Amino acid sequence: MEASVALRPIDGVHVTTLIDNYTDVLLPDEGPIRRWGAAGSGGRAAPVPDSISVTGQAVDGLRAEHGFSALVELRVDGAARRILFDAGVTPDGLIGNLDRLELRPDSFESIVFSHGHFDHVMGLDGVARRLGSTNMPVYLHPDFWRQRRLVSGPDRAFELPVPSRAAIEGVGFEIIEGRQPSYLLDGMLLITGEVDRTVPFEQGIPNHQAFVDGTWQPDPLIHDDQAMILHVAGKGLVILTGCGHAGVVNIVRYAKKLTGITQVYAVLGGFHLRAGPVVDETVAALALESPTLLVPSHCTSWQAQHALATAMPAATRPNTVGTRFEL
Ligand SMILES: [Fe+2]
């Protein structure tokens, strides 16, 4: 399906961070970025009852956790169409933040999962409980269901919680698997499917394994990792990554290849960058793309965030839960 269908341009897109590792209620608005909290215009905390204050009312806050979830709201002809991208890590984290933001999950047309890691999936639990019975479509790659672990020594391994197909289908969600690029929402949203791995310095996670055919086998590339792509008319591509296991440079280049659009407007999400030479190489490669907005989130280390901000100070901004990017 590569580039056989043009990605339909849209008037704009609002991306609201529902779950991320960071919170900061003192950030002010800046350009198209609406911050949630005391200083911004993106909404603020509601009072909650407490037992130790003079008034009996404390202030609530959005929960940050090690995970990622975003609401993607396409703006077309004055109407909005909503799709959920990832679901965060704790069973009740996402639904709690949706409630605090006064967003209803039954207003979502579908859900796209970037990959099967639990820090992007398990918040579906609270959403499923709220929806009760649903037939909402859920888009993912077949490797999403893999049993996986991270090995850190001869006798040390962390097994990742695995999503259950039976449980998710049991709620009624309609699972739609794909390895290839798919166009959703009448051709206005593209999910990449498996990303072309062409960048030599993006090698995935060396100690990541999957249980396949009865044995633990190397699974460094996490082939299920996919991104979401939109085309804002006159501005260029908006690219959302989940954890960026495919490599953020691979993802950006693949987005350009699939769409034939070279202007990169915004890249938001987890870049899964930690430390070392890969950070410098990634920063240099992203700088060549000249994004207007770069939002390294979730699994992007502080070293990588600082390096990106130093190289691209006008474009790079931090993410926080509740932030709405009006693109
Ligand atoms: Fe992640």
Side-chain angles (χ1 to χ4, degrees):
M1 195 187 286
E2 286 185 15
S4 58
V5 183
L7 180 59
R8 268 180 66 193
I10 54 177
D11 301 331
V13 59
H14 290 185
V15 179
T16 303
T17 304
L18 302 173
I19 293 289
D20 190 39
N21 296 36
Y22 311 100
T23 182
D24 184 347
V25 299
L26 300 180
L27 285 173
D29 291 350
E30 199 179 357
I33 307 174
R34 302 269 170 266
R35 298 291 186 179
W36 188 93
S41 66
R44 57 175 55 198
V48 287
D50 84 303
S51 61
I52 60 165
S53 70
V54 173
T55 60
Q57 284 199 323
V59 173
D60 198 10
L62 296 171
R63 303 296 192 268
E65 56 182 46
H66 182 92
F68 189 74
S69 174
L71 172 63
V72 181
E73 195 175 74
L74 283 67
R75 321 290 291 190
V76 188
D77 298 331
R81 298 185 68 177
R82 289 176 167 175
I83 195 161
L84 180 68
F85 183 57
D86 285 352
V89 65
T90 61
D92 59 355
L94 174 58
I95 192 67
N97 279 355
L98 286 170
D99 286 343
R100 294 179 185 99
L101 293 164
E102 299 180 331
L103 293 166
R104 292 172 55 114
D106 60 3
S107 68
F108 306 157
E109 291 189 37
S110 54
I111 300 172
V112 172
F113 281 118
S114 65
H115 65 306
H117 282 169
F118 65 106
D119 53 326
H120 298 252
V121 175
M122 295 307 169
L124 184 65
D125 180 78
V127 170
R129 289 173 195 274
R130 177 67 55 80
L131 291 172
S133 181
T134 179
N135 57 2
M136 191 179 290
V138 176
Y139 295 87
L140 48 84
H141 182 286
D143 288 1
F144 176 92
W145 310 107
R146 282 187 161 192
Q147 184 181 350
R148 281 156 159 166
R149 69 178 186 179
L150 288 165
V151 179
S152 54
D155 299 312
R156 282 175 61 90
F158 168 62
E159 267 203 56
L160 282 59
V162 186
S164 160
R165 180 169 193 142
I168 294 172
E169 283 185 331
V171 180
F173 288 111
E174 181 195 359
I175 306 292
I176 301 167
E177 293 187 351
R179 297 177 190 273
Q180 301 299 318
S182 306
Y183 288 90
L184 312 183
L185 304 183
D186 305 318
M188 295 184 290
L189 188 149
L190 174 62
I191 54 175
T192 59
E194 218 162 293
V195 174
D196 273 2
R197 310 294 176 104
T198 57
V199 176
F201 55 82
E202 294 184 327
Q203 294 293 328
I205 305 178
N207 63 332
H208 187 268
Q209 298 183 345
F211 197 72
V212 181
D213 298 331
T215 58
W216 286 106
Q217 300 180 14
D219 182 27
L221 296 182
I222 312 170
H223 284 294
D224 38 325
D225 189 70
Q226 61 177 346
M228 188 180 274
I229 304 168
L230 303 112
H231 177 202
V232 176
K235 294 186 174 176
L237 297 175
V238 172
I239 302 169
L240 271 114
T241 64
C243 243
H245 291 303
V248 65
V249 181
N250 273 325
I251 291 169
V252 169
R253 290 181 182 173
Y254 192 52
K256 291 166 63 179
K257 178 183 169 188
L258 284 176
T259 61
I261 298 162
T262 56
Q263 180 60 46
V264 177
Y265 177 26
V267 186
L268 305 94
F271 295 175
H272 209 84
L273 276 175
R274 305 313 300 170
V278 65
V279 171
D280 298 330
E281 292 176 290
T282 302
V283 169
L286 285 178
L288 292 175
E289 305 293 349
S290 303
T292 305
L293 178 66
L294 193 63
V295 186
S297 311
H298 174 42
C299 49
T300 317
S301 69
W302 67 266
Q303 294 96 326
Q305 295 200 32
H306 286 220
L308 289 162
T310 300
M312 290 167 275
T316 308
R317 291 296 179 270
N319 200 8
T320 59
V321 279
T323 296
R324 188 170 70 245
F325 300 90
E326 298 184 351
L327 305 173

